[in-house]
Amino acid sequence: MTNAKMRRILDICYRTWLRWAEVAETIPQYKLAQIQMQKMAKEKRLRAPLIRPYQVWVLGKVGEVFGDLDQGTTKIEIVKSIVEANKSEYTESKFEAEQIRFTQPLIPIPNSKFQIPN
């Protein structure tokens, strides 16, 4: 996906993306994905590297941390510290597990009009 499409999905402007990406680049798997996509873009002569769904997910998670902090604070260093302390929450395996959880079909509950996920 393109950078512009990713920003539309996350509903953020370019400056916000720059802040979130600065934090996301401290996550080893995000940085690796970024390097891989830059390499592919160079090999295929693309104007800009594409973005993987995992990277969009990480940026969204970083954005959630920014959103949890009060307005008027210098957030970026605080967010970097929080993300650094919780790097295990931003892995590709966590991303995949979340995707599976949200894409599983609902199962019927006997004698109920409501359904719940597994």
Side-chain angles (χ1 to χ4, degrees):
M1 119 182 23
T2 65
N3 195 324
K5 183 174 181 181
M6 175 269 306
R7 289 195 321 266
R8 279 193 306 273
I9 289 170
L10 294 174
D11 193 27
I12 59 174
C13 69
Y14 181 78
R15 288 178 51 124
T16 299
W17 168 72
L18 287 176
R19 275 194 312 277
W20 293 8
E22 182 180 337
V23 174
E25 288 172 2
T26 66
I27 300 165
Q29 287 185 325
Y30 179 91
K31 186 69 175 168
L32 178 62
Q34 188 177 38
I35 291 167
Q36 291 170 338
M37 298 309 283
Q38 287 170 342
K39 182 180 175 186
M40 185 189 78
K42 187 175 182 180
E43 289 171 357
K44 297 191 183 281
R45 298 182 181 176
L46 302 174
R47 290 183 356 172
L50 299 174
I51 309 283
R52 292 179 37 211
Y54 163 72
Q55 292 171 282
V56 177
W57 177 79
V58 168
L59 289 168
K61 299 290 267 183
V62 167
E64 288 175 4
V65 178
F66 270 99
D68 289 342
L69 298 175
D70 292 333
Q71 294 294 325
T73 60
T74 307
K75 296 181 180 185
I76 195 157
E77 294 305 320
I78 297 169
V79 173
K80 280 183 181 179
S81 296
I82 292 169
V83 169
E84 178 72 32
N86 296 288
K87 280 186 181 178
S88 64
E89 295 299 312
Y90 301 91
T91 63
E92 286 195 64
S93 60
K94 291 278 187 177
F95 164 71
E96 291 166 1
E98 189 171 296
Q99 297 306 301
I100 290 169
R101 192 176 75 227
F102 285 113
T103 57
Q104 284 182 341
L106 299 176
I107 58 168
I109 299 173
N111 304 320
S112 174
K113 64 180 180 177
F114 299 104
Q115 297 180 1
I116 59 169
N118 287 335

